[in-house]
Amino acid sequence: MPGDTEVEASCIDQNSSITICTGKPSIHDLPNEILVHVFAMFAALTDGQLQRRRSKRRQHPRLPTSHWVHLMCVCRHWREIGIQTPRLWQIIHVDKTPEWLALSLERSREAPIDIAFRREHVVRTSLSTVLTVAHRLRKLLLPHISDANLHILLPLFDTHMPILEEFRLCFRQGSDETSLDPAPPTSAESPLFSFVTTNFPVLRYLRLFRATFPWCPPTVSRLRFLHLHRCCSLDLHLTFERLLDVLDDCTQLEDLHLHHFLSTISYLVPATFSRMVVIPALKSLFFTDTPALCRQFLSCFDIPAHITLFVTANIDDSVNFSHARGLFMSMLPQNRDKLHILRCATEASFVYASQLGARTADGAGSITLSLYCESDIDQYTEAALEEFVALFAPAPIEDLRVSCVRGVLPESGDFWSPIFASFPSVRTLLVATGHTVRPIWDALSEREQSDDAEGRQANPILPLLERVTMKSFKWEEEAMDYVLECLRRRTIWRLPKLANLEIYFYTSSVVTRKFEEAVQERMDMFYGPEMAPYTDRFVWKVSYSCYHLDRTYCYVY
């Protein structure tokens, strides 16, 4: 193809440092099949690193990129191997221009192909080319498409794609490629297209955003992954019972995301309605809607502990969070025994007032409950903590994590004592409150009063505690004195020595050189050695507005 070299060069980072081999190193004695395998492994490794970076940004993973083409610059022999190997050109990322698509289609020959577009204008200029290879399409991922360009895609839905396994399509309002409509659409507003299932006989992965979707057995029952974000039902009279009927037929479904979908159908059902749906292969369930609809939907499932469950309830802005109660409970079934993870989770986390979570010891199953509201939800923190304890205290929690916004909770050990006492199995504790250290250590050095057959007993709080991490605590001159006193008290009660203690302080004070030297001397000369009897490893940090001191003490016995 004319200009092939220029297209390849445009896909290679100009800043990359690649050494061009002028001689014939021994690696060239390898058979071509081995070199192709090395190229494929390099592509997979490079993509794995990129996937991990994207997962930290909570973005959908993309197809592997074409970074392997750097290897074609090593020598003519390697370039010729790359050109003559169709399997290396099966995964095609189309960015700013369609030239790379044309080159990859030619070099992939008749091999199945995966195409991912990133820009809408390139889709408009390349769709006719894609239609010519529809019989080879195994995966097609489209970027956000404006409603005005829907007509361009209509031939795509009328084209038979016999091996298409994955399809992603996102619509948005307007022509701005970065704007997304935050509100769930109505059926009248959503783009309409005819999703003819006979044209996609082996489709297994489907992701749609702001589209109108035909909720019917032929479309859904064969899927393994179904993600519907702000979509509507094509059937304006779809009932809640019918929706469950279709899910009951999904014997292969592993990953189900329904965000703002249930609220667009005829979901009103009798108060006596009862139904159990079994999806045997289900591994993860993500659901977003009003609290009442979240409860109604989850009530129809018996959710095993190995499933990943993520539920987000949209809270009305008019709610007074200072007086509200039971917001998290309102999204769960009245019979919480259907959520098996609530009885066997070993790690629980409280993230401000908006998110509660727990997971099993092996990490296979988890539950995350989230509240979404445009207004400030911090005033709900105390009530949310009460729900957190009520939900997860029955489980054998060993790892407890609590993070709160500064200034929203009482600075009192009496507040924290019953919270910690509810989790007697905890071995690892992480707390970030913005308080001074006193409230937390007051609670950790108290005893819980209880009654048993032998009379009234005083039991230490968190008797199995091994590791403590305290973040975002306000620095005070006497802070470490107080920590030491509480540790001594726990030792008197014959509680085990800590394996690790980390305390991270902050201060907004203006830092002088004299203050810096005083803190450093105090910690280096006194508190480090004093901690040795109470913890194997002690880490402290004081962060300032412009710079920080950082010292680490480690004791191993």
Side-chain angles (χ1 to χ4, degrees):
M1 171 182 287
D4 284 3
T5 304
E6 289 79 3
V7 175
E8 292 168 5
S10 68
C11 298
I12 298 176
D13 187 357
Q14 300 299 320
N15 297 321
S16 61
S17 56
I18 299 177
T19 302
I20 306 299
C21 299
T22 56
K24 186 179 180 182
S26 59
I27 193 173
H28 289 295
D29 295 331
L30 291 174
N32 291 351
E33 294 81 0
I34 300 298
L35 286 175
V36 170
H37 187 65
V38 170
F39 288 5
M41 288 181 63
F42 175 79
L45 286 173
T46 306
D47 177 63
Q49 296 170 355
L50 295 174
Q51 295 274 16
R52 284 191 292 274
R53 293 176 192 170
R54 293 190 187 104
S55 65
K56 293 180 181 179
R57 299 197 298 268
R58 298 176 66 90
Q59 294 183 358
H60 290 301
R62 293 175 177 169
L63 289 173
T65 57
S66 302
H67 290 278
W68 71 269
V69 297
H70 290 281
L71 300 177
M72 295 175 62
C73 296
V74 172
C75 64
R76 293 180 180 178
H77 178 56
W78 283 25
R79 182 175 184 274
E80 193 62 26
I81 290 175
I83 291 175
Q84 299 300 326
T85 308
R87 61 175 286 201
L88 296 175
W89 302 90
Q90 289 180 274
I91 298 174
I92 308 169
H93 272 272
V94 188
D95 195 1
K96 298 180 180 179
T97 61
E99 284 78 7
W100 180 253
L101 172 64
L103 177 65
S104 299
L105 289 178
E106 177 181 321
R107 293 182 176 176
S108 64
R109 300 176 188 172
E110 288 300 313
I113 51 175
D114 304 340
I115 301 179
F117 287 94
R118 297 184 180 177
R119 299 175 186 272
E120 180 180 2
H121 72 273
V122 181
V123 175
R124 293 196 299 265
T125 58
S126 305
L127 193 60
S128 59
T129 303
V130 172
L131 293 177
T132 62
V133 293
H135 63 288
R136 293 202 284 137
L137 273 178
R138 183 176 55 190
K139 186 178 297 187
L140 179 60
L141 308 183
L142 299 178
H144 294 288
I145 304 294
S146 63
D147 296 353
N149 289 322
L150 171 62
H151 65 283
I152 298 175
L153 299 180
L154 293 180
L156 188 68
F157 305 124
D158 294 331
T159 303
H160 185 61
M161 301 182 190
I163 65 170
L164 186 69
E165 296 179 359
E166 180 173 352
F167 181 65
R168 184 188 69 193
L169 177 61
C170 308
F171 286 109
R172 68 172 188 280
Q173 290 182 333
S175 57
D176 181 5
E177 294 200 10
T178 62
S179 66
L180 295 176
D181 179 19
T186 64
S187 297
E189 297 172 343
S190 296
L192 294 174
F193 62 88
S194 178
F195 205 84
V196 183
T197 56
T198 55
N199 287 335
F200 316 107
V202 298
L203 186 67
R204 295 295 181 268
Y205 304 83
L206 180 61
R207 295 183 176 94
L208 299 177
F209 187 101
R210 269 204 75 247
T212 304
F213 180 73
W215 188 271
C216 56
T219 306
V220 180
S221 60
R222 296 194 308 266
L223 296 176
R224 292 179 56 193
F225 291 75
L226 175 59
H227 295 193
L228 300 182
H229 296 259
R230 304 183 183 277
C231 294
C232 294
S233 169
L234 186 61
D235 179 6
L236 299 179
H237 302 289
L238 178 67
T239 63
F240 183 61
E241 295 90 330
R242 180 58 178 161
L243 180 140
L244 297 180
D245 289 338
V246 174
L247 284 178
D248 237 348
D249 292 334
C250 297
T251 58
Q252 304 176 56
L253 191 62
E254 299 178 11
D255 196 339
L256 176 61
H257 290 220
L258 294 179
H259 300 285
H260 303 289
F261 182 73
L262 197 59
S263 55
T264 67
I265 70 171
S266 303
Y267 57 83
L268 296 178
V269 296
T272 57
F273 177 80
S274 178
R275 173 78 178 273
M276 287 301 297
V277 176
V278 177
I279 307 178
L282 191 65
K283 296 179 180 178
S284 62
L285 173 60
F286 286 62
F287 190 84
T288 302
D289 227 303
T290 64
L293 292 179
C294 291
R295 164 174 284 190
Q296 184 181 45
F297 186 75
L298 294 178
S299 297
C300 300
F301 295 86
D302 188 84
I303 301 179
H306 66 268
I307 285 181
T308 298
L309 176 64
F310 198 117
V311 185
T312 302
N314 290 330
I315 306 300
D316 193 274
D317 292 342
S318 62
V319 172
N320 185 343
F321 291 107
S322 299
H323 300 92
R325 290 294 183 273
L327 295 181
F328 284 100
M329 296 294 187
S330 68
M331 70 172 77
L332 298 178
Q334 290 184 342
N335 179 12
R336 293 198 293 274
D337 289 340
K338 295 181 177 181
L339 303 176
H340 295 264
I341 193 172
L342 297 182
R343 301 192 299 275
C344 62
T346 58
E347 179 182 314
S349 60
F350 178 93
V351 184
Y352 306 118
S354 59
Q355 186 169 294
L356 318 179
R359 65 178 181 178
T360 56
D362 58 4
S366 66
I367 180 172
T368 305
L369 306 177
S370 179
L371 302 178
Y372 176 79
C373 185
E374 295 288 347
S375 58
D376 186 7
I377 201 174
D378 291 339
Q379 295 303 316
Y380 190 67
T381 302
E382 189 170 346
L385 263 174
E386 295 176 5
E387 293 188 88
F388 176 73
V389 172
L391 281 172
F392 300 123
I397 301 299
E398 297 183 1
D399 190 329
L400 181 64
R401 302 164 184 261
V402 180
S403 301
C404 307
V405 175
R406 297 175 187 173
V408 298
L409 292 176
E411 291 199 42
S412 166
D414 293 337
F415 174 79
W416 289 101
S417 295
I419 294 175
F420 293 154
S422 301
F423 301 96
S425 303
V426 166
R427 297 180 181 273
T428 301
L429 175 66
L430 185 151
V431 185
T433 66
H435 290 162
T436 62
V437 297
R438 286 179 177 267
I440 300 300
W441 284 102
D442 270 342
L444 293 178
S445 60
E446 288 185 6
R447 291 195 177 195
E448 177 192 12
Q449 300 297 324
S450 62
D451 296 318
D452 58 19
E454 299 179 0
R456 194 162 184 79
Q457 300 289 325
N459 301 315
I461 291 177
L462 301 187
L464 305 178
L465 194 60
E466 297 175 355
R467 293 170 292 276
V468 179
T469 302
M470 306 179 69
K471 294 185 176 181
S472 189
F473 278 78
K474 188 176 181 180
W475 169 258
E476 292 180 317
E477 289 293 334
E478 66 277 10
M480 292 306 304
D481 291 323
Y482 199 77
V483 173
L484 274 170
E485 177 58 33
C486 294
L487 287 172
R488 291 190 187 104
R489 200 177 308 169
R490 289 180 65 88
T491 302
I492 292 172
W493 295 339
R494 299 178 182 272
L495 295 179
K497 181 181 180 181
L498 295 179
N500 187 71
L501 172 61
E502 301 179 26
I503 306 180
Y504 300 88
F505 295 102
Y506 76 91
T507 177
S508 56
S509 304
V510 176
V511 179
T512 63
R513 190 65 178 173
K514 184 177 181 180
F515 177 82
E516 177 186 346
E517 292 175 352
V519 172
Q520 185 171 349
E521 181 180 5
R522 190 180 183 91
M523 299 297 287
D524 286 347
M525 301 299 295
F526 182 68
Y527 293 117
E530 283 289 319
M531 283 292 177
Y534 310 112
T535 179
D536 293 334
R537 181 174 182 266
F538 172 50
V539 179
W540 70 274
K541 178 186 288 186
V542 181
S543 297
Y544 305 101
S545 56
C546 55
Y547 56 93
H548 67 270
L549 298 173
D550 192 354
R551 290 290 183 274
T552 302
Y553 300 92
C554 298
Y555 301 92
V556 181
Y557 297 95

